[in-house]
Amino acid sequence: MTAGPTGYGAAMTTALITGATAGIGAAFARRLASDGHALVLVARQSPRLDETARRLREEFGVDVEALPADLAGEEGIAAVEARLADREAPVDLLVNNAGFGQRGGFLKVPVEDELAMLRVHVEAVLRLTSAAAVSMRERGRGGIVNVASVAAFFARGTYGASKAWVVSFSRGVAQDLAGSGVRITAVCPGFTRTEFHERAGMDVSGVGRPLWLSAQEVVDTALRDVARGRVVSIPGWQYRTLVGLGRLTPSRLAERISSRSGRKYRD
């Protein structure tokens, strides 16, 4: 797959983005629409989803399909799987971005909420990646971006564990799809200026300005790394440094540092 002006492949024409109405997902939608690509936007909130699709159509003159789906439920996952399997309207880039955080540590969050997180962060990512990869491999081209987090590299409850799974899964699938023309990248942002922390009820007032990324920076880095064939993408020099140092830090000390930081990592 040759790199094109959009940075991830000239042949790609349609992108499906989950969690597309806010934050990093919305930034992916705007970037891809501005590059002239058709979109399939997936989100839970239908009115907001419809409005987002309308604005992108009007501003960029591209085709935008709105697909309401709750990925914490079987019906929602199945609906997106079916769209990805539609060979009459193939998807060339899948962005698995949908996700959320929890307020409070383990045993302070209801088990059903933790299970819902695993449904969105793990089961949905696995199933949608599978549905997309089958069609992409048949055509010999395509890309999959799985939005993880720097929390994947540190011990931090269910959220960090689910994102660590995303990174490990993406690495394994990339090996299995090597030579097929299908690229897969796990993007691992740190603190990013979006609605994520407010919606999760997280206090991030103590996070210094140098640690903040823009959603656009995350998207640009992710698409550039897909084009370069990188399986793991870490936006921001500060987070590449943090993850690099974390690998050299004794695990017990790294866990203590992570614990003190609280649930302040983001999607």
Side-chain angles (χ1 to χ4, degrees), residues 98-102 114-123 125 146-149 151-154 156-170 263 267:
F100 61 93
Q102 307 280 25
E114 299 276 49
L115 291 173
M117 175 178 284
L118 292 178
R119 195 84 186 268
V120 176
H121 291 185
V122 177
E123 182 179 346
V125 170
N146 291 329
V147 179
S149 168
F153 304 102
F154 302 94
R156 196 60 216 139
T158 303
Y159 181 83
S162 69
K163 294 304 186 178
W165 181 90
V166 171
V167 173
S168 180
F169 171 71
S170 299
R263 285 179 173 259
D267 240 2

PDB file of all heavy atoms in Angstrom, residues 98-102 114-123 125 146-149 151-154 156-170 263 267:
ATOM      1  N   ALA A  98     -13.809   4.023  20.001  1.00  0.00           N
ATOM      2  CA  ALA A  98     -14.782   4.095  21.095  1.00  0.00           C
ATOM      3  C   ALA A  98     -14.180   3.582  22.400  1.00  0.00           C
ATOM      4  O   ALA A  98     -13.492   2.561  22.423  1.00  0.00           O
ATOM      5  CB  ALA A  98     -16.031   3.286  20.746  1.00  0.00           C
ATOM      6  N   GLY A  99     -14.444   4.304  23.482  1.00  0.00           N
ATOM      7  CA  GLY A  99     -13.935   3.883  24.782  1.00  0.00           C
ATOM      8  C   GLY A  99     -14.339   4.861  25.862  1.00  0.00           C
ATOM      9  O   GLY A  99     -14.841   5.950  25.574  1.00  0.00           O
ATOM     10  N   PHE A 100     -14.104   4.479  27.101  1.00  0.00           N
ATOM     11  CA  PHE A 100     -14.443   5.350  28.219  1.00  0.00           C
ATOM     12  C   PHE A 100     -13.601   4.983  29.425  1.00  0.00           C
ATOM     13  O   PHE A 100     -12.959   3.925  29.468  1.00  0.00           O
ATOM     14  CB  PHE A 100     -15.940   5.270  28.557  1.00  0.00           C
ATOM     15  CG  PHE A 100     -16.424   3.899  28.963  1.00  0.00           C
ATOM     16  CD1 PHE A 100     -16.472   3.529  30.291  1.00  0.00           C
ATOM     17  CD2 PHE A 100     -16.840   2.986  28.004  1.00  0.00           C
ATOM     18  CE1 PHE A 100     -16.924   2.277  30.674  1.00  0.00           C
ATOM     19  CE2 PHE A 100     -17.293   1.728  28.368  1.00  0.00           C
ATOM     20  CZ  PHE A 100     -17.342   1.370  29.708  1.00  0.00           C
ATOM     21  N   GLY A 101     -13.585   5.875  30.426  1.00  0.00           N
ATOM     22  CA  GLY A 101     -12.860   5.632  31.662  1.00  0.00           C
ATOM     23  C   GLY A 101     -13.815   5.468  32.829  1.00  0.00           C
ATOM     24  O   GLY A 101     -15.008   5.750  32.711  1.00  0.00           O
ATOM     25  N   GLN A 102     -13.287   5.019  33.953  1.00  0.00           N
ATOM     26  CA  GLN A 102     -14.077   4.849  35.170  1.00  0.00           C
ATOM     27  C   GLN A 102     -13.550   5.781  36.251  1.00  0.00           C
ATOM     28  O   GLN A 102     -12.350   6.045  36.328  1.00  0.00           O
ATOM     29  CB  GLN A 102     -13.986   3.400  35.690  1.00  0.00           C
ATOM     30  CG  GLN A 102     -14.321   2.340  34.668  1.00  0.00           C
ATOM     31  CD  GLN A 102     -15.811   2.138  34.481  1.00  0.00           C
ATOM     32  OE1 GLN A 102     -16.598   3.037  34.730  1.00  0.00           O
ATOM     33  NE2 GLN A 102     -16.190   0.966  34.040  1.00  0.00           N
ATOM     34  N   GLU A 114     -17.358  -2.386  34.843  1.00  0.00           N
ATOM     35  CA  GLU A 114     -16.066  -2.912  34.389  1.00  0.00           C
ATOM     36  C   GLU A 114     -16.269  -3.864  33.205  1.00  0.00           C
ATOM     37  O   GLU A 114     -15.493  -3.847  32.235  1.00  0.00           O
ATOM     38  CB  GLU A 114     -15.368  -3.652  35.537  1.00  0.00           C
ATOM     39  CG  GLU A 114     -15.042  -2.792  36.760  1.00  0.00           C
ATOM     40  CD  GLU A 114     -13.742  -2.031  36.626  1.00  0.00           C
ATOM     41  OE1 GLU A 114     -13.523  -1.382  35.579  1.00  0.00           O
ATOM     42  OE2 GLU A 114     -12.944  -2.088  37.578  1.00  0.00           O
ATOM     43  N   LEU A 115     -17.303  -4.676  33.268  1.00  0.00           N
ATOM     44  CA  LEU A 115     -17.592  -5.600  32.167  1.00  0.00           C
ATOM     45  C   LEU A 115     -17.990  -4.854  30.905  1.00  0.00           C
ATOM     46  O   LEU A 115     -17.636  -5.258  29.790  1.00  0.00           O
ATOM     47  CB  LEU A 115     -18.691  -6.580  32.580  1.00  0.00           C
ATOM     48  CG  LEU A 115     -18.293  -7.601  33.648  1.00  0.00           C
ATOM     49  CD1 LEU A 115     -19.504  -8.403  34.103  1.00  0.00           C
ATOM     50  CD2 LEU A 115     -17.211  -8.537  33.114  1.00  0.00           C
ATOM     51  N   ALA A 116     -18.735  -3.749  31.067  1.00  0.00           N
ATOM     52  CA  ALA A 116     -19.095  -2.938  29.906  1.00  0.00           C
ATOM     53  C   ALA A 116     -17.846  -2.357  29.259  1.00  0.00           C
ATOM     54  O   ALA A 116     -17.734  -2.290  28.022  1.00  0.00           O
ATOM     55  CB  ALA A 116     -20.047  -1.817  30.322  1.00  0.00           C
ATOM     56  N   MET A 117     -16.875  -1.939  30.087  1.00  0.00           N
ATOM     57  CA  MET A 117     -15.612  -1.436  29.548  1.00  0.00           C
ATOM     58  C   MET A 117     -14.897  -2.507  28.734  1.00  0.00           C
ATOM     59  O   MET A 117     -14.399  -2.243  27.631  1.00  0.00           O
ATOM     60  CB  MET A 117     -14.702  -0.946  30.678  1.00  0.00           C
ATOM     61  CG  MET A 117     -13.316  -0.521  30.203  1.00  0.00           C
ATOM     62  SD  MET A 117     -12.276   0.114  31.543  1.00  0.00           S
ATOM     63  CE  MET A 117     -13.006   1.748  31.751  1.00  0.00           C
ATOM     64  N   LEU A 118     -14.851  -3.723  29.257  1.00  0.00           N
ATOM     65  CA  LEU A 118     -14.201  -4.804  28.524  1.00  0.00           C
ATOM     66  C   LEU A 118     -14.943  -5.118  27.226  1.00  0.00           C
ATOM     67  O   LEU A 118     -14.321  -5.472  26.224  1.00  0.00           O
ATOM     68  CB  LEU A 118     -14.119  -6.057  29.398  1.00  0.00           C
ATOM     69  CG  LEU A 118     -13.177  -5.966  30.607  1.00  0.00           C
ATOM     70  CD1 LEU A 118     -13.231  -7.258  31.418  1.00  0.00           C
ATOM     71  CD2 LEU A 118     -11.748  -5.680  30.168  1.00  0.00           C
ATOM     72  N   ARG A 119     -16.258  -4.976  27.243  1.00  0.00           N
ATOM     73  CA  ARG A 119     -17.035  -5.217  26.019  1.00  0.00           C
ATOM     74  C   ARG A 119     -16.620  -4.223  24.929  1.00  0.00           C
ATOM     75  O   ARG A 119     -16.434  -4.592  23.778  1.00  0.00           O
ATOM     76  CB  ARG A 119     -18.532  -5.071  26.328  1.00  0.00           C
ATOM     77  CG  ARG A 119     -19.449  -5.647  25.235  1.00  0.00           C
ATOM     78  CD  ARG A 119     -19.612  -7.127  25.460  1.00  0.00           C
ATOM     79  NE  ARG A 119     -20.346  -7.790  24.406  1.00  0.00           N
ATOM     80  CZ  ARG A 119     -21.673  -7.976  24.431  1.00  0.00           C
ATOM     81  NH1 ARG A 119     -22.399  -7.504  25.427  1.00  0.00           N
ATOM     82  NH2 ARG A 119     -22.270  -8.648  23.453  1.00  0.00           N
ATOM     83  N   VAL A 120     -16.480  -2.940  25.316  1.00  0.00           N
ATOM     84  CA  VAL A 120     -16.137  -1.904  24.347  1.00  0.00           C
ATOM     85  C   VAL A 120     -14.665  -1.951  23.959  1.00  0.00           C
ATOM     86  O   VAL A 120     -14.309  -1.882  22.772  1.00  0.00           O
ATOM     87  CB  VAL A 120     -16.501  -0.507  24.903  1.00  0.00           C
ATOM     88  CG1 VAL A 120     -16.039   0.584  23.934  1.00  0.00           C
ATOM     89  CG2 VAL A 120     -17.999  -0.396  25.150  1.00  0.00           C
ATOM     90  N   HIS A 121     -13.782  -2.071  24.956  1.00  0.00           N
ATOM     91  CA  HIS A 121     -12.345  -1.975  24.704  1.00  0.00           C
ATOM     92  C   HIS A 121     -11.746  -3.263  24.146  1.00  0.00           C
ATOM     93  O   HIS A 121     -10.706  -3.207  23.478  1.00  0.00           O
ATOM     94  CB  HIS A 121     -11.598  -1.625  25.992  1.00  0.00           C
ATOM     95  CG  HIS A 121     -11.858  -0.253  26.490  1.00  0.00           C
ATOM     96  ND1 HIS A 121     -11.193   0.284  27.586  1.00  0.00           N
ATOM     97  CD2 HIS A 121     -12.702   0.715  26.063  1.00  0.00           C
ATOM     98  CE1 HIS A 121     -11.634   1.515  27.797  1.00  0.00           C
ATOM     99  NE2 HIS A 121     -12.548   1.790  26.891  1.00  0.00           N
ATOM    100  N   VAL A 122     -12.360  -4.404  24.455  1.00  0.00           N
ATOM    101  CA  VAL A 122     -11.766  -5.684  24.068  1.00  0.00           C
ATOM    102  C   VAL A 122     -12.626  -6.423  23.040  1.00  0.00           C
ATOM    103  O   VAL A 122     -12.210  -6.626  21.899  1.00  0.00           O
ATOM    104  CB  VAL A 122     -11.522  -6.572  25.309  1.00  0.00           C
ATOM    105  CG1 VAL A 122     -10.983  -7.936  24.891  1.00  0.00           C
ATOM    106  CG2 VAL A 122     -10.538  -5.891  26.263  1.00  0.00           C
ATOM    107  N   GLU A 123     -13.842  -6.809  23.437  1.00  0.00           N
ATOM    108  CA  GLU A 123     -14.662  -7.605  22.523  1.00  0.00           C
ATOM    109  C   GLU A 123     -14.979  -6.864  21.227  1.00  0.00           C
ATOM    110  O   GLU A 123     -14.845  -7.417  20.129  1.00  0.00           O
ATOM    111  CB  GLU A 123     -15.969  -8.037  23.196  1.00  0.00           C
ATOM    112  CG  GLU A 123     -16.828  -8.903  22.281  1.00  0.00           C
ATOM    113  CD  GLU A 123     -18.118  -9.373  22.921  1.00  0.00           C
ATOM    114  OE1 GLU A 123     -18.256  -9.261  24.150  1.00  0.00           O
ATOM    115  OE2 GLU A 123     -18.991  -9.862  22.185  1.00  0.00           O
ATOM    116  N   VAL A 125     -13.359  -4.377  19.836  1.00  0.00           N
ATOM    117  CA  VAL A 125     -12.139  -4.204  19.043  1.00  0.00           C
ATOM    118  C   VAL A 125     -11.785  -5.495  18.325  1.00  0.00           C
ATOM    119  O   VAL A 125     -11.433  -5.493  17.133  1.00  0.00           O
ATOM    120  CB  VAL A 125     -10.974  -3.725  19.940  1.00  0.00           C
ATOM    121  CG1 VAL A 125      -9.651  -3.786  19.189  1.00  0.00           C
ATOM    122  CG2 VAL A 125     -11.240  -2.305  20.431  1.00  0.00           C
ATOM    123  N   ASN A 146      -6.240   0.962  16.068  1.00  0.00           N
ATOM    124  CA  ASN A 146      -6.849   0.671  17.366  1.00  0.00           C
ATOM    125  C   ASN A 146      -6.335   1.677  18.385  1.00  0.00           C
ATOM    126  O   ASN A 146      -5.131   1.728  18.667  1.00  0.00           O
ATOM    127  CB  ASN A 146      -6.500  -0.753  17.817  1.00  0.00           C
ATOM    128  CG  ASN A 146      -7.173  -1.803  16.956  1.00  0.00           C
ATOM    129  OD1 ASN A 146      -8.271  -1.587  16.438  1.00  0.00           O
ATOM    130  ND2 ASN A 146      -6.533  -2.938  16.787  1.00  0.00           N
ATOM    131  N   VAL A 147      -7.237   2.507  18.911  1.00  0.00           N
ATOM    132  CA  VAL A 147      -6.826   3.541  19.859  1.00  0.00           C
ATOM    133  C   VAL A 147      -6.675   2.910  21.236  1.00  0.00           C
ATOM    134  O   VAL A 147      -7.652   2.452  21.839  1.00  0.00           O
ATOM    135  CB  VAL A 147      -7.829   4.696  19.888  1.00  0.00           C
ATOM    136  CG1 VAL A 147      -7.394   5.756  20.914  1.00  0.00           C
ATOM    137  CG2 VAL A 147      -7.948   5.330  18.496  1.00  0.00           C
ATOM    138  N   ALA A 148      -5.443   2.873  21.729  1.00  0.00           N
ATOM    139  CA  ALA A 148      -5.139   2.337  23.054  1.00  0.00           C
ATOM    140  C   ALA A 148      -4.834   3.519  23.973  1.00  0.00           C
ATOM    141  O   ALA A 148      -5.583   4.494  24.008  1.00  0.00           O
ATOM    142  CB  ALA A 148      -3.982   1.352  22.980  1.00  0.00           C
ATOM    143  N   SER A 149      -3.732   3.485  24.711  1.00  0.00           N
ATOM    144  CA  SER A 149      -3.387   4.535  25.659  1.00  0.00           C
ATOM    145  C   SER A 149      -2.002   4.245  26.219  1.00  0.00           C
ATOM    146  O   SER A 149      -1.562   3.085  26.251  1.00  0.00           O
ATOM    147  CB  SER A 149      -4.400   4.553  26.813  1.00  0.00           C
ATOM    148  OG  SER A 149      -3.961   5.361  27.881  1.00  0.00           O
ATOM    149  N   ALA A 151      -1.549   4.233  29.164  1.00  0.00           N
ATOM    150  CA  ALA A 151      -1.891   3.415  30.329  1.00  0.00           C
ATOM    151  C   ALA A 151      -1.628   1.939  30.070  1.00  0.00           C
ATOM    152  O   ALA A 151      -1.498   1.149  31.008  1.00  0.00           O
ATOM    153  CB  ALA A 151      -3.357   3.615  30.710  1.00  0.00           C
ATOM    154  N   ALA A 152      -1.528   1.562  28.788  1.00  0.00           N
ATOM    155  CA  ALA A 152      -1.241   0.173  28.438  1.00  0.00           C
ATOM    156  C   ALA A 152       0.108  -0.291  28.965  1.00  0.00           C
ATOM    157  O   ALA A 152       0.323  -1.489  29.161  1.00  0.00           O
ATOM    158  CB  ALA A 152      -1.282   0.008  26.917  1.00  0.00           C
ATOM    159  N   PHE A 153       1.014   0.648  29.216  1.00  0.00           N
ATOM    160  CA  PHE A 153       2.380   0.301  29.601  1.00  0.00           C
ATOM    161  C   PHE A 153       2.621   0.370  31.102  1.00  0.00           C
ATOM    162  O   PHE A 153       3.752   0.185  31.560  1.00  0.00           O
ATOM    163  CB  PHE A 153       3.365   1.212  28.867  1.00  0.00           C
ATOM    164  CG  PHE A 153       3.210   1.161  27.371  1.00  0.00           C
ATOM    165  CD1 PHE A 153       2.543   2.176  26.693  1.00  0.00           C
ATOM    166  CD2 PHE A 153       3.701   0.092  26.642  1.00  0.00           C
ATOM    167  CE1 PHE A 153       2.376   2.133  25.316  1.00  0.00           C
ATOM    168  CE2 PHE A 153       3.547   0.033  25.268  1.00  0.00           C
ATOM    169  CZ  PHE A 153       2.876   1.058  24.605  1.00  0.00           C
ATOM    170  N   PHE A 154       1.559   0.641  31.869  1.00  0.00           N
ATOM    171  CA  PHE A 154       1.677   0.749  33.319  1.00  0.00           C
ATOM    172  C   PHE A 154       0.514   0.017  33.981  1.00  0.00           C
ATOM    173  O   PHE A 154      -0.575  -0.071  33.414  1.00  0.00           O
ATOM    174  CB  PHE A 154       1.679   2.225  33.746  1.00  0.00           C
ATOM    175  CG  PHE A 154       2.783   3.018  33.122  1.00  0.00           C
ATOM    176  CD1 PHE A 154       2.564   3.726  31.951  1.00  0.00           C
ATOM    177  CD2 PHE A 154       4.049   3.040  33.683  1.00  0.00           C
ATOM    178  CE1 PHE A 154       3.584   4.461  31.354  1.00  0.00           C
ATOM    179  CE2 PHE A 154       5.075   3.765  33.096  1.00  0.00           C
ATOM    180  CZ  PHE A 154       4.837   4.476  31.929  1.00  0.00           C
ATOM    181  N   ARG A 156      -2.565  -0.250  35.840  1.00  0.00           N
ATOM    182  CA  ARG A 156      -3.580   0.709  36.255  1.00  0.00           C
ATOM    183  C   ARG A 156      -4.974   0.151  36.059  1.00  0.00           C
ATOM    184  O   ARG A 156      -5.737   0.599  35.231  1.00  0.00           O
ATOM    185  CB  ARG A 156      -3.408   2.020  35.479  1.00  0.00           C
ATOM    186  CG  ARG A 156      -4.148   3.184  36.089  1.00  0.00           C
ATOM    187  CD  ARG A 156      -3.687   3.478  37.502  1.00  0.00           C
ATOM    188  NE  ARG A 156      -4.792   3.909  38.346  1.00  0.00           N
ATOM    189  CZ  ARG A 156      -4.959   3.517  39.584  1.00  0.00           C
ATOM    190  NH1 ARG A 156      -4.132   2.664  40.127  1.00  0.00           N
ATOM    191  NH2 ARG A 156      -5.970   3.945  40.287  1.00  0.00           N
ATOM    192  N   GLY A 157      -5.320  -0.888  36.796  1.00  0.00           N
ATOM    193  CA  GLY A 157      -6.681  -1.397  36.844  1.00  0.00           C
ATOM    194  C   GLY A 157      -7.207  -1.920  35.524  1.00  0.00           C
ATOM    195  O   GLY A 157      -6.461  -2.236  34.593  1.00  0.00           O
ATOM    196  N   THR A 158      -8.526  -1.995  35.443  1.00  0.00           N
ATOM    197  CA  THR A 158      -9.185  -2.558  34.270  1.00  0.00           C
ATOM    198  C   THR A 158      -8.916  -1.734  33.022  1.00  0.00           C
ATOM    199  O   THR A 158      -8.727  -2.274  31.931  1.00  0.00           O
ATOM    200  CB  THR A 158     -10.696  -2.662  34.516  1.00  0.00           C
ATOM    201  OG1 THR A 158     -10.919  -3.449  35.693  1.00  0.00           O
ATOM    202  CG2 THR A 158     -11.398  -3.331  33.340  1.00  0.00           C
ATOM    203  N   TYR A 159      -8.906  -0.409  33.172  1.00  0.00           N
ATOM    204  CA  TYR A 159      -8.668   0.445  32.003  1.00  0.00           C
ATOM    205  C   TYR A 159      -7.301   0.159  31.394  1.00  0.00           C
ATOM    206  O   TYR A 159      -7.182  -0.122  30.193  1.00  0.00           O
ATOM    207  CB  TYR A 159      -8.768   1.924  32.396  1.00  0.00           C
ATOM    208  CG  TYR A 159      -8.562   2.853  31.222  1.00  0.00           C
ATOM    209  CD1 TYR A 159      -9.603   3.154  30.364  1.00  0.00           C
ATOM    210  CD2 TYR A 159      -7.307   3.403  30.961  1.00  0.00           C
ATOM    211  CE1 TYR A 159      -9.413   3.987  29.273  1.00  0.00           C
ATOM    212  CE2 TYR A 159      -7.106   4.234  29.877  1.00  0.00           C
ATOM    213  CZ  TYR A 159      -8.167   4.528  29.038  1.00  0.00           C
ATOM    214  OH  TYR A 159      -7.963   5.343  27.953  1.00  0.00           O
ATOM    215  N   GLY A 160      -6.251   0.221  32.210  1.00  0.00           N
ATOM    216  CA  GLY A 160      -4.919  -0.042  31.695  1.00  0.00           C
ATOM    217  C   GLY A 160      -4.771  -1.450  31.148  1.00  0.00           C
ATOM    218  O   GLY A 160      -4.126  -1.664  30.122  1.00  0.00           O
ATOM    219  N   ALA A 161      -5.397  -2.409  31.832  1.00  0.00           N
ATOM    220  CA  ALA A 161      -5.317  -3.799  31.372  1.00  0.00           C
ATOM    221  C   ALA A 161      -5.989  -3.969  30.016  1.00  0.00           C
ATOM    222  O   ALA A 161      -5.487  -4.681  29.136  1.00  0.00           O
ATOM    223  CB  ALA A 161      -5.958  -4.724  32.405  1.00  0.00           C
ATOM    224  N   SER A 162      -7.135  -3.311  29.836  1.00  0.00           N
ATOM    225  CA  SER A 162      -7.836  -3.425  28.556  1.00  0.00           C
ATOM    226  C   SER A 162      -7.029  -2.789  27.437  1.00  0.00           C
ATOM    227  O   SER A 162      -6.989  -3.304  26.307  1.00  0.00           O
ATOM    228  CB  SER A 162      -9.226  -2.787  28.652  1.00  0.00           C
ATOM    229  OG  SER A 162      -9.158  -1.374  28.789  1.00  0.00           O
ATOM    230  N   LYS A 163      -6.358  -1.682  27.729  1.00  0.00           N
ATOM    231  CA  LYS A 163      -5.550  -1.029  26.703  1.00  0.00           C
ATOM    232  C   LYS A 163      -4.267  -1.810  26.425  1.00  0.00           C
ATOM    233  O   LYS A 163      -3.762  -1.817  25.298  1.00  0.00           O
ATOM    234  CB  LYS A 163      -5.238   0.408  27.121  1.00  0.00           C
ATOM    235  CG  LYS A 163      -6.475   1.300  27.170  1.00  0.00           C
ATOM    236  CD  LYS A 163      -7.221   1.326  25.841  1.00  0.00           C
ATOM    237  CE  LYS A 163      -8.365   2.320  25.840  1.00  0.00           C
ATOM    238  NZ  LYS A 163      -9.059   2.382  24.534  1.00  0.00           N
ATOM    239  N   ALA A 164      -3.723  -2.476  27.452  1.00  0.00           N
ATOM    240  CA  ALA A 164      -2.577  -3.352  27.227  1.00  0.00           C
ATOM    241  C   ALA A 164      -2.965  -4.496  26.300  1.00  0.00           C
ATOM    242  O   ALA A 164      -2.187  -4.919  25.431  1.00  0.00           O
ATOM    243  CB  ALA A 164      -2.059  -3.895  28.556  1.00  0.00           C
ATOM    244  N   TRP A 165      -4.195  -4.984  26.476  1.00  0.00           N
ATOM    245  CA  TRP A 165      -4.697  -6.029  25.578  1.00  0.00           C
ATOM    246  C   TRP A 165      -4.760  -5.515  24.145  1.00  0.00           C
ATOM    247  O   TRP A 165      -4.379  -6.221  23.198  1.00  0.00           O
ATOM    248  CB  TRP A 165      -6.080  -6.507  26.023  1.00  0.00           C
ATOM    249  CG  TRP A 165      -6.629  -7.585  25.141  1.00  0.00           C
ATOM    250  CD1 TRP A 165      -6.467  -8.926  25.287  1.00  0.00           C
ATOM    251  CD2 TRP A 165      -7.384  -7.400  23.941  1.00  0.00           C
ATOM    252  NE1 TRP A 165      -7.083  -9.597  24.256  1.00  0.00           N
ATOM    253  CE2 TRP A 165      -7.650  -8.678  23.411  1.00  0.00           C
ATOM    254  CE3 TRP A 165      -7.864  -6.273  23.270  1.00  0.00           C
ATOM    255  CZ2 TRP A 165      -8.379  -8.863  22.238  1.00  0.00           C
ATOM    256  CZ3 TRP A 165      -8.583  -6.449  22.095  1.00  0.00           C
ATOM    257  CH2 TRP A 165      -8.838  -7.737  21.588  1.00  0.00           C
ATOM    258  N   VAL A 166      -5.235  -4.284  23.958  1.00  0.00           N
ATOM    259  CA  VAL A 166      -5.336  -3.706  22.617  1.00  0.00           C
ATOM    260  C   VAL A 166      -3.967  -3.668  21.945  1.00  0.00           C
ATOM    261  O   VAL A 166      -3.821  -4.023  20.762  1.00  0.00           O
ATOM    262  CB  VAL A 166      -5.960  -2.297  22.664  1.00  0.00           C
ATOM    263  CG1 VAL A 166      -5.848  -1.606  21.299  1.00  0.00           C
ATOM    264  CG2 VAL A 166      -7.420  -2.365  23.086  1.00  0.00           C
ATOM    265  N   VAL A 167      -2.944  -3.255  22.685  1.00  0.00           N
ATOM    266  CA  VAL A 167      -1.595  -3.182  22.122  1.00  0.00           C
ATOM    267  C   VAL A 167      -1.088  -4.576  21.766  1.00  0.00           C
ATOM    268  O   VAL A 167      -0.586  -4.810  20.660  1.00  0.00           O
ATOM    269  CB  VAL A 167      -0.630  -2.484  23.096  1.00  0.00           C
ATOM    270  CG1 VAL A 167       0.814  -2.571  22.577  1.00  0.00           C
ATOM    271  CG2 VAL A 167      -1.027  -1.026  23.296  1.00  0.00           C
ATOM    272  N   SER A 168      -1.218  -5.518  22.693  1.00  0.00           N
ATOM    273  CA  SER A 168      -0.748  -6.880  22.442  1.00  0.00           C
ATOM    274  C   SER A 168      -1.506  -7.527  21.286  1.00  0.00           C
ATOM    275  O   SER A 168      -0.915  -8.176  20.413  1.00  0.00           O
ATOM    276  CB  SER A 168      -0.902  -7.724  23.715  1.00  0.00           C
ATOM    277  OG  SER A 168      -0.449  -9.042  23.507  1.00  0.00           O
ATOM    278  N   PHE A 169      -2.813  -7.343  21.263  1.00  0.00           N
ATOM    279  CA  PHE A 169      -3.646  -7.877  20.182  1.00  0.00           C
ATOM    280  C   PHE A 169      -3.217  -7.302  18.841  1.00  0.00           C
ATOM    281  O   PHE A 169      -3.068  -8.041  17.850  1.00  0.00           O
ATOM    282  CB  PHE A 169      -5.103  -7.529  20.479  1.00  0.00           C
ATOM    283  CG  PHE A 169      -6.059  -7.820  19.357  1.00  0.00           C
ATOM    284  CD1 PHE A 169      -6.392  -9.117  19.020  1.00  0.00           C
ATOM    285  CD2 PHE A 169      -6.644  -6.777  18.656  1.00  0.00           C
ATOM    286  CE1 PHE A 169      -7.290  -9.385  17.992  1.00  0.00           C
ATOM    287  CE2 PHE A 169      -7.543  -7.023  17.632  1.00  0.00           C
ATOM    288  CZ  PHE A 169      -7.861  -8.331  17.293  1.00  0.00           C
ATOM    289  N   SER A 170      -3.012  -5.997  18.785  1.00  0.00           N
ATOM    290  CA  SER A 170      -2.622  -5.352  17.528  1.00  0.00           C
ATOM    291  C   SER A 170      -1.278  -5.882  17.034  1.00  0.00           C
ATOM    292  O   SER A 170      -1.099  -6.116  15.826  1.00  0.00           O
ATOM    293  CB  SER A 170      -2.560  -3.831  17.714  1.00  0.00           C
ATOM    294  OG  SER A 170      -3.828  -3.314  18.087  1.00  0.00           O
ATOM    295  N   ARG A 263      -6.452   7.605  38.222  1.00  0.00           N
ATOM    296  CA  ARG A 263      -7.025   7.209  36.931  1.00  0.00           C
ATOM    297  C   ARG A 263      -7.063   8.417  36.023  1.00  0.00           C
ATOM    298  O   ARG A 263      -8.110   8.995  35.760  1.00  0.00           O
ATOM    299  CB  ARG A 263      -8.432   6.643  37.130  1.00  0.00           C
ATOM    300  CG  ARG A 263      -8.404   5.246  37.721  1.00  0.00           C
ATOM    301  CD  ARG A 263      -9.802   4.718  37.918  1.00  0.00           C
ATOM    302  NE  ARG A 263      -9.741   3.332  38.323  1.00  0.00           N
ATOM    303  CZ  ARG A 263      -9.951   2.307  37.528  1.00  0.00           C
ATOM    304  NH1 ARG A 263     -10.254   2.504  36.290  1.00  0.00           N
ATOM    305  NH2 ARG A 263      -9.860   1.075  37.977  1.00  0.00           N
ATOM    306  N   ASP A 267      -8.126   7.758  26.656  1.00  0.00           N
ATOM    307  CA  ASP A 267      -8.253   7.071  25.389  1.00  0.00           C
ATOM    308  C   ASP A 267      -7.488   7.824  24.332  1.00  0.00           C
ATOM    309  O   ASP A 267      -7.810   8.960  24.124  1.00  0.00           O
ATOM    310  CB  ASP A 267      -9.723   7.073  25.003  1.00  0.00           C
ATOM    311  CG  ASP A 267     -10.253   5.686  24.870  1.00  0.00           C
ATOM    312  OD1 ASP A 267      -9.528   4.776  25.094  1.00  0.00           O
ATOM    313  OD2 ASP A 267     -11.405   5.555  24.529  1.00  0.00           O
TER     314      ASP A 267
END
